[in-house]
Amino acid sequence: MTCCGDATIIGQVKPNSSAPDPAMLASETFSISGLHCAGCISKVERRVAALGGDTSARVNLTRQTVTVRAPADGFDVTPALAAIRDLGYVVRPLAEAPETDETGRELMRSLAVSGFAAMNVMLLSVSVWAGADGETERFLTWVSALIALPALLYSARPFVRSAFKALSARTLNMDVPIAIAITLAALMSLVKTINGEGETYFDAAVTLTFFLLAGRLVAHSTRERARNSIRGLASLTAPLARRVMQDGTVRVVSVKSVRPGMVLELAAGDRVPVDSRVDGYAGTFDASLVTGESQSVTIGAGHEVGAGLLALSGPVRLTALRDADDSLVARMRSLQEAAESMRPHLSRIADKAARIYAPVVHLTALFTMIGWMIAGASFGDALTIAIAVLIITCPCALALAVPIVQAAAMDVMFRRGMLVKDGAVLERLRAVTSVVFDKTGTLTGPRLRADAALDDDALADAAALARHSTHPVARALEAEALRRELELPLATGVKELPGQGVVGMVRGREASIGRPTSIPSDAAENVPAANANVLLRAGLPPVILPIEDTVREGADQLIEGFKERGMTPAIISGDTEAKVAEVAATLGVSDWTANAKPAEKLALMQQRADAGERVLMIGDGLNDGAALAAAHASIAMADATDLARASADVVLTSGHIGDVAGAMVLARKAHSLTVQNLVLAGIYNCIAIPIAIAGFASPLAAAIGMSASSVVVIANAQRIRAG
Amino acid sequence: MSLLVYLLPLALALGAAWVAVFLWCMRKGQFDDPAGAATRILQDDPPADEIR
């Protein structure tokens, strides 16, 4: 593995065939963070354009990406990236190639087509209601049919497809009654048009489709935005290892190709690629993300070191013991997958509603038809009334009731730095009965010691560099500088070396912050503690940055809050007993477990689940991945490992543990609004169904009732934004 | 009735044109970055040519 320097950019280079330019252009997309406003966009784009040579950049603020275009011949984005970094933005390769949002596009196209059809068919219907008769009515009805039928064939596909999927899996979802209502409305109206019998439901069918598509698009784009942000966070450790060949030369190879017996070399700041044995000299490793231990460990020659540990000293020689697939990280991942499959199938509130609702409506329609036939109506008339019942009770409001609330809630949370992966998470979050915390990195985080005798100048320089990193230590430095209200100088040429620190130019001096062993400077020898964070500046004596692991701000109130709601917070940590006991005592947590290995964490979670508890797990480490996946609901910190982020339901990008309380409040609010919406939809049906059964449902009443109930439900959902 | 023969196709053609323009815009990536588009309008300087 190498550092995240310019040489390790991964991703594919696509020749851009659509460019009219005779000189072929290629483009590559990177994640960029720190963009906020119009100024940022133009700064980045102009800076790259100023480089000349047909190199250009295009920022996408929504996705927080920047696409760099350069001539395909000798494609080189390094100068452009360096220029953007100089401006103070953090540019990283995307962990995965950006995908186009095909579902969103399909919904948008369908929405456009159904919107067009709805407007025009409504126009024609108004003419019919206004009293067009005879030839004119027939003509208008035929035109409606010609617009509505193709439009429905095109734009109702998302519902029909989903309904088919549910039926073939022998379940019911909300799309089943929707698809049936739309299909029946279209077919009945077509028959009536052919027979010249008047009253058709084309308008109801297309408006229904339009409203539902709009609701679905809103829900989808909210989810997509959260997903994009999570992808932007994804870590960028290139899957590479340095292999020492027979002749002593070092070659960079992919981790996948490492076989047991191969000799590997680690520089300080590299992660151990596969489970290995330490050769030669002992090495110091940071295991905090893997096991939760906050103290670094020294592993002597001949001992085994697990994949994922971070080398603090270097170089270290290793002999590979296992393949990548059998290594620690991979084993944890399979543990997580197993935990996920054990998670009880949690049915969503919307599907629950559909499962009750669909049979009731369909039986009502059936009995209506039988009732009318017994009462002496002809088969055709009875069928017409039955279909009217189906259409008028169409689950428009009901289908919107849940997702629209969830979309609004997710949007609010997104703005506050909480990324929610799925709306259903909110339901689970509300239902938790107990809460389990990880310690290292979750309840505790690094902070600059308060009694630090650190002068303002040194802190300002350190913070100027720290701004460019998301590492918790860097955040701590920046927070302290902000607290002291220091004016930060501009750092240029900044480079982050993962696990080592940040280097760059500050006030015309070469400077770096991080672990001293890793910083290429002569001054390093003067630094005593091997494990401390140090600020080095050319020509100035080194300054130790006194960082300590302390309880994060807001953690105590959060735990107090949980206690007030009658939950007993627990800590399950991989750290030593003494450290966990200390933190537990500070926070007043009586239920704690120390020295827990990942499998034990998982077992403890399962014990709780078996005891009937619905556990909320909050963690960040590699060792938490399985436990997060097994929990009823889970929250990960932003600087968590990929695995933890992948298994958690909510990712806190704000980094404030106290935000968990906000998430819980919003989840509860969303639930009460969902229930309100379901009641509103129910009330609408209680009024509409008797009218339809009695045979008084005109297409006009159907269209108005449906639209009004949808608008009421959507408006009610927006109340979550208030307060 | 006779008026409808002209007006109806006209209304439909306008509507269809709107749909076509919308779909074209979507394919050209007009809706790829709504947040960026909203702030780009605030950029007060002409494009990059003066820098070169």
Side-chain angles (χ1 to χ4, degrees), chain A residues 37-38 41-42 45-46 49-50 58-62 105 108-109 112-113 116 119-120 124 136 139-140 143 147, chain B residues 1 4 8 11-12 15-16 18-19 22-23 26-27 31-36 39-40 42-43 45 48 51-52:
Chain A
C37 58
I41 299 179
S42 59
E45 292 182 353
R46 291 223 231 136
R58 176 83 186 177
V59 171
N60 187 322
L61 197 63
T62 315
R105 277 164 181 259
M108 193 93 115
R109 282 195 298 264
V113 170
F116 160 74
M119 283 191 293
N120 286 287
L124 299 172
T136 319
F139 174 68
L140 292 179
V143 176
I147 301 168
Chain B
M1 181 69 196
L4 277 181
L8 212 57
L12 289 181
W18 174 80
V19 173
F22 179 80
L23 293 178
M26 227 171 70
R27 210 174 24 248
F31 304 111
D32 282 356
D33 182 15
T39 55
R40 268 173 207 279
L42 298 173
Q43 291 176 9
D45 297 320
I51 298 175
R52 278 198 192 185

Side-chain angles (χ1 to χ4, degrees), chain A residues 43 51 113 121 148 231 352 386 440 451 536 560 577 581 596:
Chain A
K43 229 167 35 182
L51 294 173
V113 170
V121 173
R231 199 158 40 209
K352 269 190 222 159
T440 321
D451 57 353
L536 297 171
E560 245 351 274
E577 213 165 307

Side-chain angles (χ1 to χ4, degrees), chain A residues 255-264 274 319-324:
Chain A
V255 170
K256 285 261 171 243
S257 71
V258 173
R259 294 283 165 267
M262 284 185 183
V263 179
L264 307 170
V274 299
T319 305
L321 292 177
R322 294 187 192 94
D323 288 347

Side-chain angles (χ1 to χ4, degrees), chain A residues 232-551:
Chain A
L233 285 173
S235 136
L236 316 147
T237 24
L240 298 172
R242 275 206 287 274
R243 182 184 169 193
V244 183
M245 310 303 287
Q246 296 284 340
D247 57 4
T249 54
V250 176
R251 197 178 289 172
V252 175
V253 297
S254 88
V255 170
K256 285 261 171 243
S257 71
V258 173
R259 294 283 165 267
M262 284 185 183
V263 179
L264 307 170
E265 191 185 78
L266 283 186
D270 284 353
R271 286 199 182 274
V272 178
V274 299
D275 292 355
S276 317
R277 190 181 63 230
V278 179
D279 290 338
Y281 304 102
T284 312
F285 294 90
D286 175 359
S288 61
L289 280 182
V290 182
T291 62
E293 277 168 83
S294 50
Q295 199 74 53
S296 57
V297 289
T298 303
I299 297 176
H303 290 275
E304 190 177 328
V305 52
L309 267 66
L310 185 72
L312 295 178
S313 58
V316 183
R317 282 283 169 106
L318 305 170
T319 305
L321 292 177
R322 294 187 192 94
D323 288 347
D325 289 343
D326 292 333
S327 283
L328 189 61
V329 178
R331 285 205 304 274
M332 297 236 194
R333 190 164 287 140
S334 49
L335 197 63
Q336 178 212 329
E337 277 160 16
E340 237 156 38
S341 63
M342 277 184 272
R343 197 177 221 172
H345 181 72
L346 300 155
S347 62
R348 295 152 150 248
I349 195 166
D351 291 342
K352 269 190 222 159
R355 230 164 280 153
I356 303 165
Y357 172 85
V360 168
V361 168
H362 294 164
L363 285 177
T364 311
L366 185 69
F367 286 132
T368 307
M369 187 169 139
I370 294 170
W372 275 93
M373 281 174 77
I374 290 171
S378 73
F379 177 76
D381 286 347
L383 185 68
T384 307
I385 293 172
I387 291 177
V389 169
L390 275 183
I391 298 169
I392 211 152
T393 59
C394 84
C396 193
L398 207 53
L400 285 173
V402 182
I404 214 78
V405 173
Q406 289 177 344
M410 281 165 76
D411 191 49
V412 173
M413 291 172 87
F414 184 84
R415 279 162 209 271
R416 299 203 195 151
M418 298 173 254
L419 300 181
V420 185
K421 285 193 188 155
D422 194 334
V425 170
L426 293 165
E427 292 164 29
R428 284 189 262 134
L429 208 55
R430 185 201 64 89
V432 296
T433 57
S434 65
V435 56
V436 170
F437 290 92
D438 170 50
K439 186 186 79 72
T440 321
T442 306
L443 283 176
T444 65
R447 198 173 57 191
L448 205 62
R449 211 158 38 222
D451 57 353
L454 189 64
D455 69 274
D456 284 355
D457 267 2
L459 180 61
D461 287 358
L465 288 171
R467 266 191 354 194
H468 294 263
S469 169
T470 56
H471 194 276
V473 170
R475 295 258 193 90
L477 285 170
E478 205 188 339
E480 177 66 15
L482 274 177
R483 202 185 59 76
R484 293 197 199 173
E485 295 177 355
L486 301 179
E487 196 161 315
L488 301 186
L490 184 71
T492 54
V494 179
K495 226 188 237 177
E496 183 175 4
L497 315 172
Q500 302 181 56
V502 184
V503 296
M505 297 285 288
V506 183
R507 291 199 247 243
R509 260 189 247 272
E510 211 176 293
S512 66
I513 48 170
R515 317 250 192 203
T517 44
S518 57
I519 304 299
S521 168
D522 309 332
E525 286 146 26
N526 305 328
V527 180
N531 201 13
N533 285 282
V534 175
L535 166 70
L536 297 171
R537 288 168 297 180
L540 288 174
V543 180
I544 295 181
L545 304 169
I547 299 285
E548 61 180 357
D549 205 38
T550 53
V551 173

